[in-house]
């Protein structure tokens, strides 16, 4: 291939709006994650392995779970159905108002449940601590819990912005929380005392909401009208939500299964798995967020215009992703030991630890092509409201993960647990692809 031909292809590739948006979101997420990593360094420097940090992590556990499972699921089903509302030319202002009301209701409901059952929850899952320890958790929880509402509003507005092809501001909004926590620690640690981390989180979530609200108002995308729960698209959204929630819940159980099995092994196995997944999870997380944020609204718009053509677009995207991610996987596999040695090997982390963790990392790296393509196929199915099938795949994945862990832990030990995760990802992607191919034939 001539240099001019290669240059033309490169320019065409980079000028593709999807590619440009993915790169934009990827760079933005990398910056946000970098600030978040610095926040962790600052927290570690201030608190180390302290009681306050332990209690804060417990206090934020339930709000984070609600945000990750409900709000993330709601945003996923909101986007395709809001796109449908926009395309049909009906009252999208009513759709916005109804969605905000649902978010408020669910946020208050979960807050009430968490508030009423806090004592039972703490004594059941974190038994054996002093009353002072529990009081410290509850004080911080009361400051963190209102963040659920701001996270919900931010999630909806962020979804509207991505539909409006605005990806930079919607991706960078989460940077306010780590910055807020860092500022509180640097300047107000003594004044705030035990609530410094919790209040920093609340202030950050509020600032993120204000920032997104400002951007949305500037772009004139907010049009609140009288809510309409009888809207066709709202009804579809509500019907799809239980399936998406169930799928997210089942998927979230898999790491707990891995921890259960790793706890049966020698001391240090849980830590080894934790170190081994760090770099693959960081890389996959950046690409996953970048691709997911861009492609969900893209597929949602395309499917309404021409569903058959959208299937073809998906297959073309999958081909590029398989080739690109496979190349990344091979490079990281070859460099696994030096990467682990460079990043972690110092003081108590020895060369023998690097050897173990690098092999675990290699097992996890095998899932990169299947994980990335699986994520895109999930976004595609969400865009066409096929969430109920993903409940089935989540159940299958959970059963396979448990079974493979049980089999491989005997023959490979801790490495078997990491390999099991990759095998489950590969099989899950194959199932998703076969189902999408079946749907494609139905539309031919």
């Amino acid at each position: 291939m001539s240099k001019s031909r290669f240059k033309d292809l490169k320019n065409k590739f980079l000028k593709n709006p999807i590619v440009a948006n993915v790169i934009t979101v990827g760079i933005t997420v990398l910056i946000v994650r970098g600030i978040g990593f610095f926040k962790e360094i600052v927290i570690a420097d201030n608190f180390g392995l302290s009681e306050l940090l332990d209690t804060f992590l417990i206090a934020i556990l339930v709000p984070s779970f609600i945000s990750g499972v409900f709000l993330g699921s709601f945003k996923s089903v909101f986007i395709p159905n809001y796109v449908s509302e926009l395309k049909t030319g009906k009252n999208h202002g009513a759709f916005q108002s109804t969605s905000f009301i649902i978010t408020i209701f669910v946020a208050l409901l979960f807050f009430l449940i968490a508030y009423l059952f806090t004592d039972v929850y703490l004594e059941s899952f974190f038994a054996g601590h002093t009353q002072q320890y529990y009081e410290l958790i509850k004080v911080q929880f009361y400051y963190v819990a209102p963040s659920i509402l701001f996270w919900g509003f931010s999630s909806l507005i962020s979804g509207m912005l991505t539909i409006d092809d605005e990806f930079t501001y919607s991706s960078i909004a989460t940077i306010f929380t780590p910055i807020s926590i860092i500022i509180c620690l640097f300047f107000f640690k003594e004044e705030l005392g035990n609530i410094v981390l919790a209040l920093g989180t609340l202030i950050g979530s509020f600032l993120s909401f204000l920032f997104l609200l400002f951007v949305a108002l500037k772009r004139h995308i907010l049009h609140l009208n009288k809510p309409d729960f009888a809207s066709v698209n709202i009804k579809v959204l509500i019907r799809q939500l239980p399936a998406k929630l169930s799928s997210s819940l089942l998927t979230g159980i898999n790491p707990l299964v891995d921890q259960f099995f790793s706890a049966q092994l020698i001391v240090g196995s849980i830590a080894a798995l934790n170190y081994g997944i760090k770099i693959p999870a960081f890389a996959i997380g950046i690409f996953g967020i970048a691709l997911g944020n861009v492609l969900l609204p893209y597929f949602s718009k395309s499917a309404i215009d021409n569903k058959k053509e959208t299937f073809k677009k998906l297959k073309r995207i999958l081909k590029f992703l398989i080739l690109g991610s496979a190349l990344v996987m091979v490079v990281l596999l070859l460099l696994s030991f030096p990467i682990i040695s460079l990043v972690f090997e110092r003081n108590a982390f020895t060369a023998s630890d690097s050897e173990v963790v690098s092999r675990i990392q290699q097992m996890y790296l095998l899932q990169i092509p299947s994980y990335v393509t699986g994520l895109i196929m999930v976004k595609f199915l969400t865009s066409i409201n096929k969430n109920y099938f993903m409940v089935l795949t989540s159940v299958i994945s959970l059963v396979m993960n448990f079974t493979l862990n049980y089999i491989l832990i005997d023959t490979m030990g801790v490495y078997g647990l990491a390999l099991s995760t990759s095998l489950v990802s590969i099989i899950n992607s194959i199932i998703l692809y076969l189902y999408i191919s079946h749907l494609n034939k139905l539309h031919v």
Side-chain angles (χ1 to χ4, degrees):
M1 182 184 294
S2 66
K3 287 185 179 180
S4 59
R5 174 63 174 162
F6 176 78
K7 187 176 180 180
D8 289 341
L9 287 174
K10 184 182 73 171
N11 290 335
K12 184 178 179 182
F13 178 76
L14 293 176
K15 288 180 180 179
N16 185 301
I18 299 176
V19 175
N21 288 331
V22 168
I23 293 173
T24 299
V25 176
I27 293 173
T28 306
V29 172
L30 183 60
I31 294 170
V32 172
R33 290 289 179 93
I35 298 294
F37 188 75
F38 178 69
K39 177 208 71 176
E40 297 297 333
I41 294 173
V42 173
I43 290 176
D45 183 58
N46 279 269
F47 299 108
L49 302 179
S50 66
E51 182 180 71
L52 179 62
L53 183 56
D54 271 0
T55 53
F56 170 72
L57 293 175
I58 295 172
I60 202 172
L61 192 62
V62 172
S64 297
F65 178 79
I66 294 170
S67 175
V69 174
F70 173 78
L71 299 179
S73 300
F74 186 76
K75 179 181 177 180
S76 293
V77 297
F78 167 81
I79 288 176
N81 291 291
Y82 183 60
V83 168
S84 178
E85 188 74 22
L86 291 173
K87 291 282 187 178
T88 54
K90 295 181 180 178
N91 190 356
H92 56 277
F95 192 98
Q96 290 182 9
S97 300
T98 307
S99 299
F100 277 114
I101 289 173
I102 293 173
T103 300
I104 294 170
F105 172 77
V106 171
L108 293 176
L109 175 65
F110 277 111
F111 174 77
L112 181 62
I113 292 172
Y115 177 81
L116 293 175
F117 291 95
T118 296
D119 290 332
V120 176
Y121 160 73
L122 291 178
E123 292 174 7
S124 299
F125 290 94
F126 302 98
H129 293 282
T130 64
Q131 189 61 35
Q132 179 184 351
Y133 187 88
Y134 295 131
E135 288 300 322
L136 197 53
I137 294 172
K138 287 190 280 188
V139 167
Q140 293 179 94
F141 169 76
Y142 297 145
Y143 278 94
V144 171
S147 299
I148 298 171
L149 188 61
F150 298 124
W151 289 335
F153 289 157
S154 296
S155 180
L156 284 184
I157 297 174
S158 175
M160 295 178 200
L161 289 172
T162 58
I163 292 170
D164 198 45
D165 294 328
E166 200 303 301
F167 297 98
T168 304
Y169 294 125
S170 58
S171 299
I172 207 169
T174 54
I175 203 170
F176 287 98
T177 298
I179 289 176
S180 175
I181 292 174
I182 291 169
I183 292 174
C184 286
L185 286 173
F186 275 137
F187 301 104
F188 306 104
K189 181 182 176 183
E190 298 301 324
E191 290 83 355
L192 296 176
N194 292 336
I195 64 169
V196 61
L197 296 175
L199 188 60
T201 301
L202 176 59
I203 293 172
S205 65
F206 179 66
L207 291 176
S208 295
F209 162 64
L210 286 183
F211 174 76
L212 288 171
L213 179 62
F214 174 77
V215 175
L217 291 173
K218 288 287 287 184
R219 293 180 71 93
H220 306 291
I221 64 170
L222 284 178
H223 307 281
L224 301 179
N225 290 326
K226 182 180 178 181
D228 181 13
F229 287 90
S231 164
V232 173
N233 290 310
I234 281 290
K235 288 181 178 179
V236 174
L237 182 153
I238 294 173
R239 285 199 301 268
Q240 290 294 317
L241 188 56
K244 192 65 181 177
L245 279 170
S246 302
S247 176
S248 298
L249 281 168
L250 290 167
T251 301
I253 293 174
N254 277 310
L256 300 179
V257 173
D258 291 343
Q259 284 199 357
F260 168 77
F261 277 97
S262 61
Q264 318 303 314
L265 298 171
I266 61 172
V267 175
S269 296
I270 295 178
L273 282 172
N274 179 62
Y275 283 118
I277 192 63
K278 285 287 186 186
I279 293 172
F282 182 79
I284 289 173
I286 291 174
F287 285 111
I289 293 173
L291 290 166
N293 285 1
V294 173
L295 290 179
L296 178 55
Y298 171 75
F299 285 143
S300 300
K301 295 174 184 176
S302 180
I304 292 174
D305 293 332
N306 190 329
K307 191 169 288 188
K308 182 179 177 181
E309 185 61 29
T310 307
F311 280 104
K312 294 179 180 179
K313 291 177 181 178
L314 172 66
K315 290 190 174 183
R316 286 197 296 269
I317 291 171
L318 290 178
K319 287 178 183 178
F320 282 111
L321 286 178
I322 290 172
L323 291 173
S325 59
L327 179 61
V328 171
M329 178 190 70
V330 171
V331 172
L332 291 177
L333 282 171
L334 294 174
L335 298 176
S336 183
F337 181 79
I339 289 174
I340 292 296
S341 179
L342 178 66
V343 175
F344 296 116
E345 193 176 310
R346 56 183 60 88
N347 298 324
F349 199 104
T350 64
S352 60
D353 294 331
S354 292
E355 181 67 33
V356 172
V357 173
S358 67
R359 288 180 60 190
I360 292 173
Q361 180 174 262
Q362 287 176 328
M363 297 297 105
Y364 280 126
L365 287 170
L366 294 173
Q367 70 179 301
I368 288 180
S370 59
Y371 185 94
V372 173
T373 54
L375 175 68
I376 299 312
M377 288 187 282
V378 166
K379 296 298 182 183
F380 173 80
L381 290 172
T382 299
S383 73
I384 59 174
N385 286 317
K386 296 295 181 182
N387 293 293
Y388 281 94
F389 180 77
M390 285 180 285
V391 178
L392 176 61
T393 60
S394 297
V395 172
I396 293 172
S397 294
L398 183 60
V399 173
M400 283 195 306
N401 192 34
F402 192 91
T403 304
L404 288 173
N405 279 348
Y406 184 80
I407 295 170
L408 295 176
I409 197 173
D410 286 334
T411 56
M412 299 178 64
V414 68
Y415 306 115
L417 299 182
L419 179 60
S420 170
T421 300
S422 291
L423 291 175
V424 170
S425 177
I426 292 168
I427 296 170
N428 181 65
S429 289
I430 292 172
I431 293 172
L432 289 171
Y433 184 78
L434 291 175
Y435 178 66
I436 288 173
S437 297
H438 170 70
L439 292 177
N440 189 20
K441 290 178 182 177
L442 296 178
H443 289 88
V444 172

